[in-house]
């Protein structure tokens, strides 16, 4: 993690395993990797890269803005919209959103989370 201004080529960034809770997996054998590249001193702001292989998973979201770098997924927000995201798409998820992610192609995103 860095404490200064920086640039990072997201498609080539090395990521580390970040295993899913098995209770989140609906179908398939999705695997998650990620990397936190910056975190505020109080831990309430986090910036990073996240990747997931194909499958279907559920999650309860934080307040997040992300941009998809590669891959695609359909995200269904319980009681809300369902949208498909792919390379170049930006999405905003609200804290507490309960989502179901159907990952069609390994998806890599850059994210900014507020806790």
């Amino acid at each position: 993690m860095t404490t200064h201004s920086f640039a990072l080529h997201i498609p080539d960034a090395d990521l580390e395993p970040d295993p899913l809770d098995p209770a989140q997996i609906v179908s398939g054998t999705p695997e998650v990797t990620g990397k936190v590249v910056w975190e505020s001193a109080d831990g309430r702001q986090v910036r990073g890269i996240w990747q997931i292989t194909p499958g279907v998973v559920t999650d309860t979201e934080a307040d997040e803005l992300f941009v998809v770098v590669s891959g695609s997924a359909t995200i269904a927000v319980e009681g809300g919209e369902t949208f498909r995201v792919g390379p170049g798409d930006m999405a905003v998820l609200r804290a507490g959103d309960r989502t179901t992610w159907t990952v069609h192609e390994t998806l890599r995103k850059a994210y900014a989370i507020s806790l």
Side-chain angles (χ1 to χ4, degrees), residues 39-63:
E39 185 174 338
S40 62
D42 64 4
R44 296 182 51 82
Q45 302 291 321
V46 182
R47 311 291 184 253
I49 303 167
W50 185 84
Q51 180 171 287
I52 186 169
T53 62
V56 180
V57 299
T58 60
D59 199 10
T60 301
E61 304 296 337
D63 179 18

Side-chain angles (χ1 to χ4, degrees), residues 64-69 83-93 110:
E64 176 180 3
L65 177 146
F66 67 86
V67 176
V68 177
V69 176
F83 45 93
R84 186 174 174 118
V85 294
D89 290 334
M90 180 182 81
V92 174
L93 298 171

Side-chain angles (χ1 to χ4, degrees), residues 27-40:
S27 68
T29 54
E31 294 182 12
V32 171
T33 52
K35 179 177 190 166
V36 172
V37 297
W38 180 86
E39 185 174 338
S40 62

Side-chain angles (χ1 to χ4, degrees), residues 2 15 17-19 43-45 55 61-62 70 72 75-77 80 87 90-91 93 95 98 108:
T2 182
L15 306 180
D18 184 15
R44 296 182 51 82
Q45 302 291 321
E61 304 296 337
S70 59
S72 65
I75 305 167
V77 179
M90 180 182 81
L93 298 171
R98 295 178 53 79
R108 183 175 282 216

